[in-house]
Amino acid sequence: MMSMVQDVDQNGVWMTLARDFIKKPLQNKTRTNEDLISVVLMRDEAEVVLKYEMTDWVLYNKFIDLRNWTEQRPAGPGNYMPALEAAERLLMKNQSSNCSLSLMFFSDGRPSDNGEFSEKMGSIAAKFGRRLSVTCIGMADEGEDFSTLHSMVDEATSYGAVASFGKPSLDADSLSNIITGLASSLTTSKTEMTNMATGKS
């Protein structure tokens, strides 16, 4: 299961996610309709716009539709804490010890609110350990302060989660490489969890 937190107003992000996180894995048969995806928009309050959606071609088309921002777009302040709390609630619905989980967190800069964001990420990671992979992605020009995202990644790692930070360049392939790497990592984690459940080495 995967929860995605989004705070960037870029159509290309949705297209890249649709192609590299849904379309290609479906074509490669590394993703099935048993893999669930949720999307949280980071605003003043968090808004869950997709909840436990099966990974299939219907979801692919929904991501394509999200390129055409109407009311479903980040607007106003990008508050981290409500978004992290929403992601935590979504992840907590899955209590199966052999299910891999992923949290992808997009931001275009520092949070608009104040809070112990690293501690919050740590408390989320502590609940799941290695079952959880965390990817924080900074989508902004050079010079933007992403120290909060780095701290969140460090805290998640300290509790056993597989965590990383990525900052795509202006190159069109840069974000694609990050998303493709995450998709591959999630597939590996799924395999590990399955092998643990079945006793395979």
Side-chain angles (χ1 to χ4, degrees):
M1 187 179 78
M2 184 224 179
S3 291
M4 184 182 305
V5 178
Q6 174 77 279
D7 178 37
V8 292
D9 185 4
Q10 297 189 30
N11 293 345
V13 173
W14 295 113
M15 186 65 216
T16 302
L17 286 166
R19 182 188 64 224
D20 296 328
F21 204 78
I22 300 175
K23 180 181 178 180
K24 289 181 180 178
L26 283 173
Q27 291 175 330
N28 297 335
K29 301 188 185 305
T30 56
R31 199 85 80 247
T32 71
N33 59 13
E34 293 183 353
D35 297 300
L36 307 181
I37 293 179
S38 301
V39 175
V40 178
L41 290 187
M42 193 190 310
R43 298 173 171 170
D44 187 16
E45 297 294 332
E47 181 179 353
V48 180
V49 295
L50 294 175
K51 187 174 184 179
Y52 306 132
E53 296 277 348
M54 295 186 298
T55 302
D56 55 19
W57 294 108
V58 174
L59 181 61
Y60 169 78
N61 288 325
K62 288 183 178 181
F63 269 68
I64 295 297
D65 290 342
L66 284 171
R67 293 180 306 166
N68 303 316
W69 293 109
T70 53
E71 297 179 358
Q72 306 291 10
R73 64 185 301 167
N79 291 335
Y80 278 25
M81 192 59 74
L84 286 169
E85 290 171 345
E88 181 179 24
R89 288 191 295 269
L90 291 165
L91 292 168
M92 285 297 294
K93 289 291 185 179
N94 189 303
Q95 297 296 322
S96 174
S97 61
N98 62 353
C99 179
S100 60
L101 304 171
S102 180
L103 173 58
M104 193 185 305
F105 195 97
F106 288 85
S107 177
D108 59 5
R110 297 179 65 182
S112 299
D113 52 340
N114 296 310
E116 300 297 333
F117 309 113
S118 298
E119 290 185 10
K120 183 61 177 176
M121 181 62 82
S123 72
I124 295 172
K127 293 178 173 69
F128 305 109
R130 189 165 178 78
R131 287 177 59 205
L132 178 68
S133 63
V134 176
T135 303
C136 293
I137 300 176
M139 301 287 296
D141 295 331
E142 292 293 334
E144 186 62 54
D145 183 2
F146 288 116
S147 58
T148 300
L149 292 185
H150 281 287
S151 296
M152 288 163 57
V153 165
D154 290 343
E155 194 73 6
T157 301
S158 72
Y159 284 96
V162 180
S164 62
F165 172 82
K167 186 184 182 307
S169 66
L170 296 179
D171 187 303
D173 292 331
S174 183
L175 177 60
S176 178
N177 291 336
I178 292 173
I179 300 302
T180 299
L182 175 60
S184 177
S185 175
L186 186 57
T187 298
T188 301
S189 178
K190 284 175 55 182
T191 302
E192 290 177 355
M193 294 296 104
T194 300
N195 289 345
M196 289 174 60
T198 59
K200 293 181 179 179
S201 58

